[in-house]
Amino acid sequence: PAEQRALARFLPAWQGVDAAPPGGAGVDRLREVLVPLQGVALAPEVWERDVLPRRVGAYSQAWMDQLCAGGELVWVGAGALGRSSGRVALYFREDARWLGPPSSKAERPTSPLHDTIRERLAAGAAFWTDLLADLGEEEPLQLQEALWDLAWAGEVTNDAFAPLRAPRLTLARRERDAGRRFARRRRPGAPQVLGRWSLTAPLFAEAPAHGPRMRARSEVMLERYGIVTRETALAEGVPGGFSTLYGELTNLETLGTARRGYFVEGLGGAQFALPAAIERLRTMRSDEPAGALVLAVTDPANSYGATLPWPKRESDDSGRRPSRVPGAYVVTLDAEPVLYVERGGKALLALREPHDGWLRPALEALADAVRRGRIPRLGLERFDGEPVVGSEVGALLIELGFRQGPRRLTLSA
């Protein structure tokens, strides 16, 4: 429906995706961008490759490191993604107790080693070398694995962001007595364990009462999405759903901060929006082309698979369906999703019938995203479940600059 397409156009514009920075640069601009994104759980690589650069412009990892090292920003795990990565939510330290920990289905680690780490960190933050010294009977590799178990479960954090960029468990076993003592001390520390480790419980201690916390969460969701609906609360994983926010959203309406109405057809009847968001949404109801946009599917600016449903093709009987997983991308034309890039960049899934004339502009937008470095690399092997080499789609991809190999077509930044 046109109203839902208007919402799909609205969210990237509201969140400043690819917009010229309105003022400020560097760390100051990053602070502005992160305020409404607090509590969103994304994979670290999605944060730094897909989400923040699209809003900040010339993003530098040093800015994130500065905010974390200075104690302004903290990260909290929200579930593991295999053994080498996971999802993390970002908070400004003073806001964490108001917003509460991220929604997560991660189970609490319960081994004796996990309990030992908890007891040590309850006594105070510790560097990796402190943990090795205090828990000297433990093997470094097992200690590192247990530490990351607690991190992904949301119980432990670090005052550096660098460990999240290299969390793979490749720490070499410590040699206690081999080699020269002072030479060993000068070796650089493994990036997986840099910084000080600490418990996250103090961040959320002394939390305000339920009402003020729901007010804070309602406010940050309004800032993030502009319009909050029942589907928005469901996609966010708000405990208790939309009903837990409804009372405070109503209070914000009474104060004039938000307005209640039926802004997006096809969504829940009770909808709340910021006045500025309503005006901006109204300007997007025209039939003017919105062009092509390539977004990470887990980006909060992508409403499909969250607030809005993915489109269904009647002729598609392959059983393949798009989903919001880290590393996958969606291409939209005029705010309508047309192409889904599966995680790993090996397969494409058409979200509309391929003969409708949209394929070339969608593939052009995808190739442009790779050349700009927004997608690191594509090595396409299949399109709609069929081999891409030797197909009509493959010929089009070669025309757009993809290199042909025995089994795949590749394009790199």
Side-chain angles (χ1 to χ4, degrees), residues 20-290:
V27 176
D28 290 336
R29 175 58 181 161
L30 182 59
R31 286 191 188 96
E32 296 175 9
V33 166
L34 285 171
V35 168
L37 293 176
Q38 293 182 89
V40 174
L42 301 171
E45 60 271 20
V46 174
W47 276 113
E48 292 202 294
R49 183 187 62 212
D50 302 317
V51 172
L52 297 178
R54 300 294 295 268
R55 291 156 173 80
V56 177
Y59 173 76
S60 171
Q61 292 182 346
W63 302 341
M64 179 71 78
D65 294 335
Q66 180 178 335
L67 290 178
C68 290
E72 292 184 62
L73 196 70
V74 294
W75 57 264
V76 180
L81 299 171
R83 291 296 301 171
S84 62
S85 187
R87 299 188 307 150
V88 295
L90 303 178
Y91 298 89
F92 287 98
R93 189 173 295 270
E94 65 271 21
D95 295 336
R97 68 188 185 95
W98 290 86
L99 299 175
S103 301
S104 174
K105 297 180 179 179
E107 296 183 0
R108 185 176 186 269
T110 57
S111 76
L113 179 54
H114 294 122
D115 292 336
T116 301
I117 296 174
R118 291 187 185 100
E119 292 174 4
R120 170 57 187 87
L121 294 182
F127 291 102
W128 172 248
T129 51
D130 298 330
L131 291 175
L132 285 176
D134 296 342
L135 309 178
E137 296 182 359
E138 304 295 340
E139 286 290 339
L141 186 59
Q142 281 68 41
L143 182 59
Q144 185 190 16
E145 290 178 345
L147 190 62
W148 276 106
D149 288 341
L150 293 170
W152 297 135
E155 295 189 51
V156 168
T157 186
N158 191 297
D159 61 7
F161 201 82
L164 292 172
R165 300 186 185 115
R168 290 179 173 82
L169 305 178
T170 59
L171 183 66
R173 293 181 179 274
R174 184 172 49 140
E175 299 177 12
R176 294 180 182 270
D177 301 313
R180 293 173 296 152
R181 175 178 299 276
F182 292 101
R184 280 207 312 279
R185 287 184 178 179
R186 291 186 175 89
R187 291 176 184 172
Q192 298 91 336
V193 291
L194 290 177
R196 292 189 310 167
W197 297 90
S198 60
L199 296 177
T200 60
L203 296 171
F204 306 107
E206 300 181 3
H210 178 76
R213 283 190 289 111
M214 290 302 102
R215 170 78 64 87
R217 187 149 193 177
S218 299
E219 289 176 346
V220 79
M221 288 180 64
L222 282 168
E223 291 292 336
R224 179 153 63 240
Y225 298 109
I227 301 170
V228 175
T229 67
R230 189 178 305 277
E231 290 79 5
T232 308
L234 181 64
E236 282 267 318
V238 176
F242 187 67
S243 60
T244 61
L245 303 176
Y246 186 83
E248 293 304 325
L249 287 168
T250 301
N251 291 337
L252 292 174
E253 178 192 16
T254 303
L255 295 173
T257 303
R259 296 180 185 174
R260 186 194 327 224
Y262 189 54
F263 308 111
V264 183
E265 183 179 357
L267 300 184
Q271 302 176 15
F272 294 84
L274 295 176
I278 298 172
E279 295 304 317
R280 193 158 193 171
L281 184 62
R282 284 172 176 164
T283 66
M284 295 184 172
R285 289 182 175 177
S286 66
D287 295 331
E288 296 180 4

Side-chain angles (χ1 to χ4, degrees), residues 46 50-51 54 294-300 302 324 327-330:
V46 174
D50 302 317
V51 172
R54 300 294 295 268
V294 181
L295 283 175
V297 296
T298 54
D299 192 315
N302 171 39
R324 293 178 69 97
Y329 295 85
V330 61

